[in-house]
Amino acid sequence: MKLPGSVKIREVGPRDGFQSLKRLLPVAEKVEIIEALIAAGVPEVEATSFASVKALPQFQDAEQVLTRVSGKNTLLSAMVFNEKGARRALSAGAGRLVTVVSATDAHSRANMKCGIDAALKNLDAIFQAARQYHAPVTGAVAVAFGCPFQGDVPETEVFRVVRALVSKGADAVILADTVGTAVPNLVEKRVNAFRERFFETELILHFHNNRGTAMANLFAALLSGATVFDTALGGLGGCPYVPRAAGNIPTEDAVYMLEEMGVETGIDLEALIAAARRLESIVGHPLPGQVMKSGPRMLGLRL
Ligand code: ZN
């Protein structure tokens, strides 16, 4: 089995996870979780989203959260959707911007209220703002493995969007399985095709676990040479009121598997488990993470 020596985990729970919560979390609790992730050694945290307050009231405190957290050795990134959001994020101290375009017109129109080409055009002002702050911009491609409106998404459609993002100056591209339909052989194909075409661009994989395939997809991507993965503490995500909705791969589950295989993450698993358990008590409902329940291997033996 050909495994890399190390990988990078991007924690997206404070953005992708928190956005699924109906109850507005107090700033202090968000900051506590982000600081616990930083203390555990997570190299990058997507800390908040500068979405419109009407669309996502959970993030009305985006500036406060970013300015109150000190990144230390952790890169703090923020999701942005327009120039105003980009400037707010940058002046609050975001070290990296993350922005999103759909791989299909149907999903783009449903989510961004415009087609792909208009959505790409809207990004120009974000890239321009980031250049003024010398901050990198990462482009996420939503529904890159399957679309709830269109079904299958041909590789050519995905890479057309990737190419546009790279030509605008994206330092990295996230291929996101937004609705959790991807399976390992599709992931392998897409990772290989990406690495052949865009070998100078960092590839990040973002898998949702709606159908239980997320960890298998991460493993397939790992064997195909991918080394950067988005995960969410405790697996938080998906609407808690919708049965079977699912978040990203639980960070602690990914770290457990990777470290046990000898793939370094630089993250303290026990600190991560403590943070996931604290997050569970904050949100007030059980989280899908497994390792936060069973514990690391040695502790598990004593249970
Ligand atoms: Zn996501």
Side-chain angles (χ1 to χ4, degrees), residues 174-249:
I174 300 170
L175 294 185
D177 184 21
T178 310
V179 286
T181 54
V183 289
N185 58 346
L186 174 65
V187 170
E188 179 193 39
K189 252 172 76 180
R190 212 136 277 186
V191 169
N192 286 336
F194 184 100
R195 294 178 76 224
E196 273 165 28
R197 288 167 178 75
F198 308 101
F199 43 86
E200 286 180 346
T201 303
E202 184 176 72
L203 169 63
I204 302 165
L205 279 310
H206 180 109
F207 298 119
H208 280 268
N209 201 32
N210 305 50
R211 292 166 185 80
T213 58
M215 190 69 95
N217 291 336
L218 179 149
F219 187 57
L222 190 74
L223 292 180
S224 310
T227 56
V228 192
F229 301 99
D230 283 1
T231 59
L233 188 66
L236 178 67
C239 175
Y241 306 104
V242 176
R244 292 181 294 277
N248 295 86
I249 299 166

Side-chain angles (χ1 to χ4, degrees), residues 41-55:
V42 175
E44 179 172 347
V45 177
E46 201 167 289
T48 188
S49 173
F50 286 79
S52 89
V53 171
K54 223 175 102 199

Side-chain angles (χ1 to χ4, degrees), residues 55-84:
L56 285 172
Q58 184 64 256
F59 298 120
Q60 58 189 278
D61 57 8
E63 266 109 348
Q64 291 171 64
V65 169
L66 259 191
T67 47
R68 275 181 57 178
V69 175
S70 141
K72 295 187 188 120
N73 296 324
T74 299
L75 179 63
L76 295 174
S77 53
M79 182 156 275
V80 300
F81 299 90
N82 52 35
E83 182 185 1
K84 192 172 152 221

